[in-house]
Amino acid sequence: MTNSIGVYPGTFDPFTYGHADITKRALDVVDNLIIGVAEHSGKSTLFSLQERLDMVKEEIDKINIPMGKNLQVKTIDNLLIDFANQVGAKIIFRGLRAISDFELEFKLCIMNRRLDKEIETIFLMAGEKYQFISSNFVKEIAALNGDISTFVSPEVTEKLIKKFKGEKKCP
């Protein structure tokens, strides 16, 4: 593909090593990848939109971007299909960990396809060592003072510790 544009949407609350893995692999498929941080996802988030944007930007700065590739971070504050059209993307990347992810992702894919037949969804299976990582699990472990160092970067670990400092409950 020449000068192809893809979108990798999510809440990224927080950005995990699994998200980084999908980002790197999506860059193997497209020339330009836009990580879309969802403002309104239907989920309650631990981190504010600005905190999540900053976190994703910090984390992607660590990714070795191949020559000729471009990686950006933007906010999604509308329908994903509308966002994809605004940025000229023809591909939406979604990460899958297990069969349970597939059912919801399949429904979202079909709905997006009905809204715009020109935009394809590509599912990328999480790498073997990232299969079980979920942002929700990471937040729960962090809230209970567990070791999250194999799931997120030291910088994200620090942000989670600060969020939960003094709290004893799960997110």
Side-chain angles (χ1 to χ4, degrees):
M1 297 183 140
T2 307
N3 202 22
S4 54
I5 301 170
V7 173
Y8 177 29
T11 53
F12 306 107
D13 185 48
F15 194 85
T16 68
Y17 287 145
H19 294 129
D21 178 59
I22 296 294
T23 299
K24 291 174 197 170
R25 293 172 48 225
L27 280 167
D28 289 338
V29 179
V30 294
D31 298 315
N32 300 288
L33 181 64
I34 298 163
I35 297 178
V37 181
E39 183 174 353
H40 304 287
S41 67
K43 298 179 186 177
S44 61
T45 57
L46 177 65
F47 294 96
S48 71
L49 176 62
Q50 190 59 55
E51 288 171 321
R52 290 181 287 126
L53 278 168
D54 293 343
M55 183 186 321
V56 173
K57 287 176 182 177
E58 289 170 12
E59 293 300 303
I60 68 164
D61 281 346
K62 301 173 192 171
I63 294 174
N64 185 14
I65 301 170
M67 186 73 102
K69 303 286 182 160
N70 184 34
L71 181 56
Q72 299 175 53
V73 179
K74 295 185 179 194
T75 302
I76 300 175
D77 61 359
N78 54 354
L79 283 174
L80 176 56
I81 287 298
D82 292 339
F83 177 78
N85 278 309
Q86 286 171 355
V87 299
K90 293 298 179 192
I91 299 171
I92 296 170
F93 290 97
R94 300 298 294 170
L96 294 176
R97 293 176 305 240
I99 295 291
S100 57
D101 286 347
F102 182 75
E103 185 176 354
L104 173 62
E105 293 296 340
F106 179 75
K107 290 175 185 176
L108 292 172
C109 174
I110 297 302
M111 289 305 295
N112 285 335
R113 188 80 175 147
R114 285 201 173 180
L115 292 171
D116 191 326
K117 292 184 184 332
E118 301 298 314
I119 299 177
E120 289 292 341
T121 298
I122 294 179
F123 297 109
L124 295 174
M125 291 299 297
E128 185 179 315
K129 64 183 182 178
Y130 307 112
Q131 285 284 315
F132 61 94
I133 300 175
S134 85
S135 293
N136 287 334
F137 287 160
V138 169
K139 288 184 286 191
E140 186 171 346
I141 294 165
L144 297 170
N145 299 316
D147 180 9
I148 56 172
S149 63
T150 59
F151 312 130
V152 296
S153 72
E155 294 80 10
V156 172
T157 297
E158 185 178 318
K159 287 173 179 33
L160 281 161
I161 290 169
K162 284 181 182 175
K163 279 286 183 185
F164 290 119
K165 193 172 190 160
E167 292 185 24
K168 301 281 189 215
K169 60 180 181 175
C170 293

